[in-house]
Amino acid sequence: MTGRKNFLFHDTADGATASAIVLSLIETAKANNLNIYHYLYTLLLYMPDYKNEPAGIKQLLPWSDFIKERCTGIIDIEKVRPEERGNLNI
């Protein structure tokens, strides 16, 4: 388990909860054979625009075609800029 020793250093329950969420995202990305860095980057890039739209959130799940297309294999982060991100196909 990734978080076992990390949880020893949390001062608050909210900090432990936040770490558990991030570590869950990382483990889910690993289970779906995604590039973890690129998956987290993509989530942070698109989530603010679609956080209140269920269809947008479904596109950001690790097993969606949108994510598998963008977050598998080696990436060139220079190609994916916030200004040039485009829209989700919802």
Side-chain angles (χ1 to χ4, degrees):
M1 180 174 177
T2 306
R4 183 170 173 236
K5 290 185 180 181
N6 294 330
F7 293 138
L8 295 172
F9 301 101
H10 291 295
D11 293 336
T12 64
D14 289 338
T17 301
S19 289
I21 291 169
V22 171
L23 293 173
S24 294
L25 287 171
I26 290 170
E27 290 300 319
T28 305
K30 282 183 190 177
N32 285 281
N33 298 319
L34 299 177
N35 181 316
I36 297 164
Y37 174 78
H38 197 193
Y39 178 60
L40 293 175
Y41 183 81
T42 303
L43 283 182
L44 294 173
L45 191 64
Y46 285 96
M47 184 75 78
D49 295 338
Y50 295 96
K51 66 182 176 185
N52 295 323
E53 296 182 30
I57 296 300
K58 287 181 182 177
Q59 289 291 327
L60 295 174
L61 294 174
W63 46 84
S64 74
D65 292 333
F66 176 80
I67 291 296
K68 286 190 177 190
E69 177 183 304
R70 285 172 171 71
C71 301
T72 54
I74 299 173
I75 59 150
D76 182 10
I77 200 66
E78 295 297 321
K79 291 182 181 179
V80 185
R81 293 266 187 219
E83 310 83 48
E84 303 166 1
R85 71 175 177 234
N87 292 325
L88 294 175
N89 299 325
I90 56 173

